[in-house]
Amino acid sequence: MVGLGFRREIAEEMISGTLITPDFVEFAPENWMNLGGYWKKMLRRVVEKYPVLCHGLSLSVGSPEELDKTFLRYVKSFLEEYKIQLYSEHLSYAKCNNAHLYDLLPMPFRMDAVKHIAGRIRQVQDFLQRPLAMEIISYYTSVVPEMSEIDFINEVVAQSDCQLLLDINNIYVNAFNHHYDAKAFISQLPLDKVAYIHMAGHEQVSPDMILDTHGNPIADPVYDLFEWAIQRIKPVPVLLERDNNIPAMEELEAELTRLKSICQKQWKQKNELVA
């Protein structure tokens, strides 16, 4: 199944399904909780039409302070109300001392950080009574690393028993900017833990730097890495992310079609939701 992020700008088109045909939709629960009126009705319509997965933005699992239990109660209620099949978040932090930083910041690649975030992931999973799929984020500098990125991720997965969200574009961006082999990196991940895949575009801003923007079409090398990666994992939902510079529906549909074609070729019609 290949899905698309639900955006207010294209809500009518997604609900009508005439120009764009995702297999499922994804949205961030914090952007839709406690809404009433017109957008509450739109949310109901899209949930009635499509399977829905949720991708959180502000849980800030890696923050030093206590988890926001009030927020978690809202999330749990939302996931149950709309029968959300999979909930994912980021292997990062986004707030500190109760100040929201409005960005996804990388965790230090250190064993004390592993123990901290793995413990908090376990707390969230216990509270929500479901596994979290944690996204490997893009980052532009590491913070006082004492271990490799791959060792950090593998330790977090082992200690928390979480699932993984494999953002192929993020891995491509990190590999390019930090000069490592993306295929070798993916090969070292616990691929049996991959429950979800994101695909997106990026922008090259200098000969040695690309930015994860979600504002461009998926680049051909990212498609190639995606096709290589999915040969090594079970069928899972695949999401096309487009947050900025949203093009005409025909262009988004063409990207969805290309992703579906690759999935069908490599997974031989076995693609189905894995929660």
Side-chain angles (χ1 to χ4, degrees):
M1 296 180 71
V2 178
L4 183 66
F6 187 55
R7 299 283 178 271
R8 286 175 169 82
E9 303 96 304
I10 57 174
E12 288 287 359
E13 289 88 345
M14 294 183 72
I15 290 172
S16 71
T18 54
L19 296 176
I20 192 94
T21 57
D23 297 321
F24 69 92
V25 300
E26 177 204 88
F27 47 74
E30 46 270 76
N31 289 341
W32 298 90
M33 290 188 299
N34 302 318
L35 288 180
Y38 175 79
W39 285 112
K40 178 83 171 182
K41 293 178 181 175
M42 293 294 280
L43 190 62
R44 280 287 178 199
R45 290 176 63 192
V46 76
V47 170
E48 288 170 0
K49 184 176 180 66
Y50 295 104
V52 176
L53 311 186
C54 275
H55 185 51
L57 299 170
S58 53
L59 184 57
S60 193
V61 182
S63 286
E65 59 260 43
E66 292 291 320
L67 287 165
D68 185 341
K69 294 292 181 58
T70 300
F71 175 74
L72 268 178
R73 280 193 286 274
Y74 277 120
V75 170
K76 185 174 185 179
S77 175
F78 187 88
L79 299 180
E80 292 174 350
E81 179 179 0
Y82 293 102
K83 299 179 173 55
I84 305 301
Q85 301 181 45
L86 185 149
Y87 178 51
S88 58
E89 252 289 352
H90 299 86
L91 194 57
S92 68
Y93 69 102
K95 65 180 181 179
C96 186
N97 294 328
N98 207 32
H100 286 266
L101 306 173
Y102 299 103
D103 206 346
L104 300 169
L105 301 175
M107 297 296 294
F109 301 146
R110 299 162 51 107
M111 189 55 74
D112 56 355
V114 167
K115 293 178 179 175
H116 174 72
I117 195 168
R120 287 165 58 94
I121 291 170
R122 289 197 303 271
Q123 289 180 50
V124 174
Q125 292 180 146
D126 290 344
F127 187 85
L128 298 180
Q129 297 182 307
R130 62 169 68 207
L132 268 179
M134 299 301 297
E135 177 179 337
I136 300 168
I137 67 164
S138 57
Y139 67 100
Y140 302 97
T141 185
S142 56
V143 182
V144 291
E146 293 181 348
M147 58 199 303
S148 69
E149 180 186 4
I150 192 69
D151 287 345
F152 175 82
I153 294 168
N154 287 339
E155 278 292 335
V156 170
V157 174
Q159 293 192 25
S160 68
D161 198 27
C162 70
Q163 297 177 332
L164 278 178
L165 193 172
L166 207 60
D167 189 312
I168 301 294
N169 185 60
N170 284 355
I171 293 173
Y172 180 87
V173 168
N174 291 342
F176 182 90
N177 290 338
H178 302 297
H179 313 294
Y180 58 74
D181 186 310
K183 293 179 180 176
F185 180 89
I186 291 172
S187 295
Q188 295 176 76
L189 291 169
L191 296 180
D192 61 319
K193 291 288 191 177
V194 176
Y196 195 18
I197 290 176
H198 276 181
M199 289 286 284
H202 60 252
E203 179 180 358
Q204 183 152 3
V205 295
S206 70
D208 59 352
M209 171 69 75
I210 55 179
L211 297 179
D212 173 32
T213 62
H214 297 186
N216 294 298
I218 300 167
D220 285 342
V222 180
Y223 276 116
D224 294 341
L225 184 61
F226 169 71
E227 184 159 10
W228 180 88
I230 67 170
Q231 296 174 51
R232 289 154 177 80
I233 62 175
K234 63 183 182 294
V236 297
V238 177
L239 182 87
L240 171 61
E241 291 185 296
R242 190 64 180 264
D243 298 334
N244 306 297
N245 304 322
I246 295 177
M249 293 301 97
E250 291 81 0
E251 292 182 39
L252 282 181
E253 179 67 9
E255 286 195 279
L256 289 173
T257 300
R258 185 170 176 180
L259 289 169
K260 289 178 183 179
S261 175
I262 295 170
C263 291
Q264 288 168 359
K265 173 185 172 186
Q266 298 300 338
W267 284 335
K268 299 177 181 177
Q269 311 294 334
K270 294 181 180 177
N271 197 4
E272 56 188 19
L273 283 176
V274 177

